[in-house]
Amino acid sequence: MEPRQARGEHEHHHEQDGGEPADGTISRQQWTWSVLAGMASYLDAGSIVALGAGLALFQSYLHLSSGAVGALAAIGPNAIGCAIGAFIGGRLGDKLGRKRIYKYDLLVYALGIACIALAFNAPMLFVGTLVVGIAVGADVPTSLALVAEFSPAKARGKLLGFTQVAWGAGPLVVLILAYLLAPLELLGIRIVFAHLFVVALVTWALRRRLTESPRWQSASEGAKDGKDGKAKPQVPPHHRVRALFSGANLRALVWTATIYVFWNIAAGTGGIFTPYIIKTLNAGSQAASVALSAVGFAIGMIATPLLFMKYADHSHRVRRIMWGVGGVMQVVAYGAYLVFPFTVTVIILNIVLFAVGGALAGEAFYKVFSQELFPTMLRGTAQGFTFGVARTCLGVWSLFVPALASAGIRPVAALLSLFLLISAAVGFFFMPNTSGKSLEQIESERSAMSG
């Protein structure tokens, strides 16, 4: 074993006991693991936006009704398909281990992506979309739990924030490809999906070297009990699913679900429907609509390391300030559509405000708190639940967006402004203080609260 690797393993066992480096130093191995785990976010968001970029083209090619377009968006990686995967994958990740889930789910993802890329009829498109949704849904909570469990306490926000950079990179690459390939129309979109197929297989191959989370291994071994080693594992009460629905766990579940459900409806609408709405309402061409969406993700990718990753681990006070400022920016972003006409200038204003605001008060913080507020043996289950609920709500909402958009942008904008206001207010006023604490310290404090 190489000295570097030996040191890395020693650090992880030391970290497991809550003894992370005081300055939050991140090893090369931790960065590598974070990148590979973060590819779940790349593939998740990339597939959402690829579908969004090609939605109008598939609708024309396959003669889909507006209802069918809404249904397609509802069952895919943006919504219900992802929810099913999150519910199942999050729980299995806690029961069977992080590695077993992320070892195979990308192969399922690649199969679904291939089905979409080659789709020549509606059933192929719908089946592929559902399979992709289930696969990314299973991967995201499992991968994020892995990142949190090997992160130093004072760098957890930074490493989980990095997965959000990957979440922005997927759509950006997809949209740049879609923009460059726009003259090819539907063939261009097929090529975009083919790129996701290749990335998924490469990531799967690289992930095979990942090891299991030491924290999960320790918690899992602690849950086992039996005479002569042959008895079935006994699950302690605080490791059972029903433990999520009482005390501090229930409060955390309601809080994280609330901030994410309402934020995700706005983010998901923008991610999958922005090109569709711009083109449908004649505010710009297909190429222009895709380019405008790409700008938003590029800004988010820049703002996340400059703002979120830099400050998220500083203190509870800094976290609240970040959330408050970001929340206001996002409400103003969609409120602008209620005041100004739906033009390219106002669309750019919306995209810039939402991208920067989202980096400060959006999915990155949801990812952090979803890892910090729950015990190890329920961490994936909890995030799978809230992630699944959020995507289900987005799926139901997606059924109505095409019809709402056909009446103009204001009905959609008014509802999204309200949703973002709810997320911002609940996040700001009820944010728990977990900054800089080890996962063990947080779990101990919250157990005392429940007791």
Side-chain angles (χ1 to χ4, degrees):
M1 182 181 291
E2 296 178 1
R4 182 189 303 275
Q5 185 177 358
R7 284 198 306 271
E9 290 191 358
H10 174 73
E11 287 169 6
H12 289 307
H13 285 292
H14 186 53
E15 174 187 325
Q16 179 185 321
D17 296 323
E20 294 95 339
D23 60 352
T25 303
I26 302 172
S27 69
R28 181 182 298 181
Q29 187 178 56
Q30 287 169 322
W31 275 118
T32 300
W33 287 8
S34 185
V35 170
L36 291 178
M39 288 308 294
S41 294
Y42 179 102
L43 295 168
D44 173 27
S47 57
I48 290 171
V49 176
L51 187 62
L55 210 51
L57 296 172
F58 273 118
Q59 181 181 24
S60 176
Y61 172 65
L62 298 175
H63 308 292
L64 302 175
S65 65
S66 61
V69 170
L72 187 66
I75 67 167
N78 210 27
I80 294 171
C82 184
I84 295 171
F87 287 135
I88 298 171
R91 185 58 190 152
L92 290 180
D94 285 341
K95 288 180 69 68
L96 305 178
R98 319 308 187 201
K99 185 175 182 179
R100 289 192 188 182
I101 303 304
Y102 63 63
K103 187 176 180 180
Y104 298 109
D105 56 17
L106 288 187
L107 294 178
V108 178
Y109 175 92
L111 181 64
I113 285 291
C115 196
I116 297 174
L118 301 173
F120 56 83
N121 57 34
M124 282 188 72
L125 180 61
F126 275 76
V127 169
T129 301
L130 178 62
V131 169
V132 166
I134 292 173
V136 295
D139 199 307
V140 170
T142 306
S143 297
L144 293 177
L146 180 71
V147 174
E149 288 164 6
F150 66 60
S151 298
K154 295 186 182 299
R156 198 161 45 238
K158 180 179 288 187
L159 285 174
L160 285 165
F162 184 78
T163 70
Q164 200 63 16
V165 175
W167 192 91
L172 183 60
V173 172
V174 162
L175 289 168
I176 290 173
L177 287 174
Y179 179 76
L180 294 175
L181 298 169
L184 299 178
E185 297 189 333
L186 187 59
L187 175 60
I189 293 299
R190 293 186 190 278
I191 295 173
V192 169
F193 278 102
H195 133 265
L196 290 172
F197 175 82
V198 172
V199 171
L201 289 184
V202 171
T203 303
W204 168 78
L206 293 174
R207 278 187 178 185
R208 297 182 70 187
R209 300 179 182 181
L210 289 175
T211 60
E212 185 55 84
S213 158
R215 273 187 165 110
W216 180 85
Q217 286 180 314
S218 176
S220 177
E221 290 166 4
K224 295 177 181 178
D225 187 276
K227 301 173 183 178
D228 68 12
K230 295 181 180 179
K232 291 182 179 180
Q234 300 297 312
V235 181
H238 62 284
H239 286 172
R240 295 171 183 164
V241 175
R242 66 178 180 226
L244 281 177
F245 299 96
S246 64
N249 285 338
L250 177 60
R251 292 192 291 274
L253 202 65
V254 171
W255 186 76
T256 54
T258 302
I259 63 170
Y260 189 58
V261 165
F262 288 104
W263 180 87
N264 187 59
I265 290 175
T269 301
I272 195 167
F273 284 114
T274 292
Y276 178 81
I277 292 174
I278 291 173
K279 188 176 181 185
T280 302
L281 297 183
N282 300 313
S285 64
Q286 168 74 11
S289 68
V290 170
L292 286 169
S293 291
V295 168
F297 288 107
I299 293 172
M301 282 186 66
I302 295 170
T304 297
L306 290 181
L307 299 174
F308 184 87
M309 291 174 63
K310 186 173 181 179
Y311 298 108
D313 294 303
H314 275 217
S315 68
H316 177 60
R317 179 174 175 273
V318 170
R319 285 185 171 187
R320 290 190 76 206
I321 292 172
M322 291 169 66
W323 186 273
V325 172
V328 170
M329 292 179 71
Q330 292 174 98
V331 172
V332 172
Y334 277 95
Y337 286 142
L338 303 177
V339 179
F340 303 108
F342 191 59
T343 62
V344 171
T345 302
V346 181
I347 292 169
I348 292 173
L349 176 66
N350 165 271
I351 287 172
V352 172
L353 286 174
F354 190 81
V356 178
L360 292 169
E363 188 162 77
F365 259 137
Y366 159 74
K367 289 177 175 179
V368 172
F369 283 114
S370 292
Q371 308 312 314
E372 292 180 343
L373 296 177
F374 301 99
T376 298
M377 295 304 290
L378 291 174
R379 186 165 290 125
T381 304
Q383 179 156 17
F385 179 81
T386 56
F387 198 72
V389 168
R391 294 297 175 98
T392 300
C393 292
L394 180 58
V396 173
W397 165 258
S398 297
L399 293 172
F400 301 101
V401 171
L404 284 169
S406 64
I409 192 64
R410 290 191 174 183
V412 175
L415 288 169
L416 295 185
S417 297
L418 175 62
F419 297 158
L420 288 166
L421 180 61
I422 293 171
S423 176
V426 171
F428 182 81
F429 289 109
F430 299 98
M431 182 180 290
N433 183 3
T434 53
S435 178
K437 301 176 181 178
S438 71
L439 294 177
E440 290 74 24
Q441 180 184 350
I442 296 169
E443 182 173 349
S444 175
E445 291 176 354
R446 296 186 69 79
S447 294
M449 289 169 57
S450 296

